[in-house]
Amino acid sequence: MYAPRCRPRLRPLPAIILLRFLFFPSHRRNPRLPRIPLRSPAEKLVGALLNAAVFVALVTAVTFLLVLLYYYNFTGFLKAYMRFSAFFVLASMGGSILISFLRRFSLPLDAPSALLLIFNFSVIGFLSVFSNAVPILVRQSYMVALAIIVAAWFTKLPEWTTWILLVALAIYDLAAVLCPRGPLRILLNLASSRDEELPALIYESRPTISLVSSERGRDQPESSWSDLSSSLGFSEQDNELESTRGIRLGLGDFIFYSVLVGRAAMYDLMTVYACFIAILSGLGFTLILLSIYRHALPALPISITLGVVFYFLTRLVLEPFVVGASMSLVMF
Amino acid sequence: MERGREPDADVESQTVGSSNRLIRSADTSGGGGTAGSGHSAVWPTVDGALGLSEERSLEYARSFFLRGFCLLPFLWAVNCFYFWPVLRNRSCTSFDLIRPYVVRSAICFLIFIILLSSWVLTFALGGERLFGPVWKELVMYNVANKLGLPGWM
């Protein structure tokens, strides 16, 4: 039963993708990059597979470390580490992006103001990760900003590595969440058995609030109680506000969706549109599955599969057709 | 860049059956058991019922205001944004403890913005004509080049 009031508003996903594409447009032939010697496809493939294998191994190891720390109740350390990493990413990687911006457009911003702005930006991000006193909108915006910054840096990976990495991570995600011994599954079971929230960087859509009034007298088995209360002339109504949890999406998923679209942006605008639609429909399909299965599901596999398939179809099949047809003035 | 620090890949379900009830029932702030008065209580935060209650928001308002003096003026802005209902509702007496801090945060943030924008505009528009060779020492991209700070592209 899917309650209709739980309408998840995942507007930031298009926002991220749009922002990412607008701010970091495609540079197909960047004259500033040094010429690297061309390697054969076989070498590139082997290199990419090695890179992806190392990355997935590292991710698995770190996730198991996380499980261990959470199992032994080092939750305070985990939260502190996540705050520190959010601060560091915003300050160093976000700061680098700002510096590149200033250089590229030659904006005459002075150093003290720039440093003050970066410092403020990072500290409020640091506070917004786990604090209660920050508005939900600000917290969501910071999650989006973190995802954009990390994805922007991820696009500096070489192309073959990026694609093989995305596919490898989708498979890893599937295994880690659905296998009974998968690290993420263990983490989620631990958290739910302790009935507390996982300390994690998660984007949560705004929970919905509704007013539920329940008459206390109803729970009493004896009818005499309710007779007594009605005879006394007051009805005890418990006006409680009930909130349902929002839809949650891990920040890693956001980042890899953005990496996919970013890499598509480095080819052509057509691939961007194709991948954008593919990812959103994959996400929608995952949400449908979520409402059927009612437990945590991996968000990466369906979207990444659709995204990769659509990227290669667009690049290899659609683009030559459309460009050829328009240049010959046949269609479009 | 480790990904493992963010346990990702879960789109957690909304468990409709076991929805979390908020800790406070709304009629305690109104006092008395009259039905229907609870949901008309005004929340001090812009998040409404999802935000802080009045008692806890006082300490946060104060601490954000004081921390803003440590070169963090945007904390004042966050304070004002978060406690916007407190600024708007002058008549509601239950906010009288929080209001001074929020008003002071707003004033300090306005002053800061005026100072910052005047300085930035002077720096940008004046340029070397106004400042001389010091301008080149102060502008951010030169400082970044001198310190060897890496750019993104």
Side-chain angles (χ1 to χ4, degrees):
Chain A
M1 178 190 64
Y2 183 65
R5 63 190 166 172
C6 321
R7 242 175 297 128
R9 301 226 219 98
L10 285 173
R11 277 189 211 136
L13 194 57
I16 290 183
I17 294 177
L18 219 62
L19 274 170
R20 200 242 165 274
F21 179 62
L22 282 175
F23 274 113
F24 311 118
S26 61
H27 26 250
R28 252 153 121 177
R29 277 179 305 276
N30 193 335
R32 270 177 277 183
L33 286 175
R35 282 196 162 267
I36 45 171
L38 293 172
R39 286 185 284 184
S40 70
E43 283 179 0
K44 282 197 231 180
L45 185 64
V46 168
L49 283 170
L50 277 175
N51 283 344
V54 167
F55 195 86
V56 171
L58 187 69
V59 167
T60 318
V62 176
T63 315
F64 273 114
L65 180 66
L66 219 82
V67 171
L68 261 177
L69 286 175
Y70 190 62
Y71 185 72
Y72 287 114
N73 280 318
F74 279 98
T75 316
F77 171 74
L78 281 174
K79 281 194 176 174
Y81 180 69
M82 283 176 191
R83 283 183 168 135
F84 162 73
S85 64
F87 175 79
F88 207 69
V89 167
L90 289 170
S92 67
M93 294 163 125
S96 291
I97 294 181
L98 179 71
I99 291 175
S100 306
F101 236 55
L102 295 176
R103 265 193 212 136
R104 171 99 158 74
F105 297 111
S106 296
L107 296 176
L109 185 65
D110 58 310
S113 313
L115 289 173
L116 185 72
L117 287 174
I118 294 176
F119 180 59
N120 272 275
F121 182 62
S122 320
V123 168
I124 299 188
F126 166 93
L127 287 175
S128 73
V129 173
F130 287 119
S131 165
N132 283 333
V134 173
I136 292 182
L137 195 64
V138 170
R139 187 178 307 148
Q140 292 176 335
S141 314
Y142 267 102
M143 290 292 128
V144 170
L146 269 174
I148 294 179
I149 291 173
V150 177
W153 279 88
F154 259 97
T155 55
K156 293 171 89 69
L157 287 175
E159 182 161 15
W160 286 55
T161 306
T162 316
W163 293 111
I164 306 244
L165 183 67
L166 282 171
V167 173
L169 280 169
I171 300 175
Y172 163 77
D173 207 26
L174 200 60
V177 176
L178 294 180
C179 289
R181 282 275 158 229
L184 292 174
R185 169 75 134 216
I186 300 177
L187 259 178
L188 291 166
N189 289 343
L190 271 177
S192 64
S193 67
R194 291 185 201 173
D195 207 20
E196 60 185 31
E197 305 287 332
L198 257 183
L201 292 171
I202 283 185
Y203 179 92
E204 180 170 4
S205 64
R206 187 179 284 260
T208 53
I209 305 244
S210 58
L211 196 64
V212 165
S213 65
S214 57
E215 292 189 1
R216 227 183 261 163
R218 200 177 291 151
D219 283 334
Q220 306 301 323
E222 289 90 23
S223 55
S224 59
W225 172 252
S226 50
D227 289 342
L228 187 65
S229 65
S230 56
S231 70
L232 278 176
F234 68 94
S235 61
E236 289 193 294
Q237 277 214 344
D238 231 352
N239 277 328
E240 283 191 8
L241 292 174
E242 189 178 82
S243 82
T244 54
R245 274 167 40 181
I247 291 272
R248 303 161 143 220
L249 187 59
L251 204 65
D253 302 329
F254 261 120
I255 291 176
F256 288 103
Y257 294 160
S258 308
V259 170
L260 199 152
V261 177
R263 186 45 76 168
M266 288 165 87
Y267 183 71
D268 195 33
L269 196 52
M270 233 186 289
T271 44
V272 171
Y273 290 139
C275 292
F276 177 73
I277 295 175
I279 289 182
L280 283 183
S281 37
L283 192 62
F285 193 63
T286 311
L287 288 172
I288 292 176
L289 284 180
L290 189 67
S291 68
I292 298 176
Y293 286 107
R294 309 294 224 84
H295 62 81
L297 288 178
L300 277 183
I302 303 179
S303 291
I304 299 272
T305 315
L306 282 177
V308 170
V309 164
F310 273 71
Y311 172 81
F312 283 106
L313 278 178
T314 308
R315 176 173 173 163
L316 299 170
V317 174
L318 186 65
E319 201 223 352
F321 172 63
V322 169
V323 171
S326 358
M327 298 232 299
S328 320
L329 299 178
V330 170
M331 273 206 282
F332 306 112
Chain B
M1 193 78 250
E2 325 94 67
R3 191 168 158 262
R5 59 183 166 80
E6 309 145 5
D8 51 359
D10 31 89
V11 184
E12 284 192 28
S13 67
Q14 265 175 296
T15 50
V16 177
S18 60
S19 50
N20 303 332
R21 287 180 182 247
L22 283 182
I23 305 163
R24 50 197 175 278
S25 60
D27 60 354
T28 53
S29 57
T34 51
S37 67
H39 60 267
S40 63
V42 183
W43 301 95
T45 64
V46 84
D47 281 336
L50 291 169
L52 297 170
S53 63
E54 281 171 35
E55 308 84 43
R56 303 190 53 207
S57 48
L58 177 63
E59 38 179 300
Y60 279 113
R62 183 196 292 139
S63 80
F64 272 27
F65 173 64
L66 292 175
R67 280 191 232 168
F69 286 106
C70 314
L71 292 181
L72 289 170
F74 284 88
L75 273 184
W76 293 325
V78 169
N79 223 9
C80 296
F81 177 51
Y82 195 46
F83 293 112
W84 187 249
V86 172
L87 277 181
R88 296 288 295 172
N89 280 349
R90 280 178 216 220
S91 53
C92 190
T93 51
S94 54
F95 296 153
D96 275 345
L97 290 171
I98 309 174
R99 190 170 301 118
Y101 291 112
V102 181
V103 168
R104 279 180 221 161
S105 301
I107 294 174
C108 292
F109 184 64
L110 273 173
I111 296 176
F112 166 75
I113 282 292
I114 291 173
L115 288 174
L116 180 76
S117 48
S118 52
W119 163 250
V120 168
L121 282 174
T122 315
F123 189 84
L125 296 175
E128 285 187 63
R129 291 188 310 257
L130 196 57
F131 288 89
V134 183
W135 193 85
K136 282 217 175 97
E137 307 289 319
L138 278 181
V139 80
M140 185 63 189
Y141 45 80
N142 285 345
V143 171
N145 286 341
K146 196 165 45 153
L147 293 175
L149 297 176
W152 174 72
M153 40 174 190

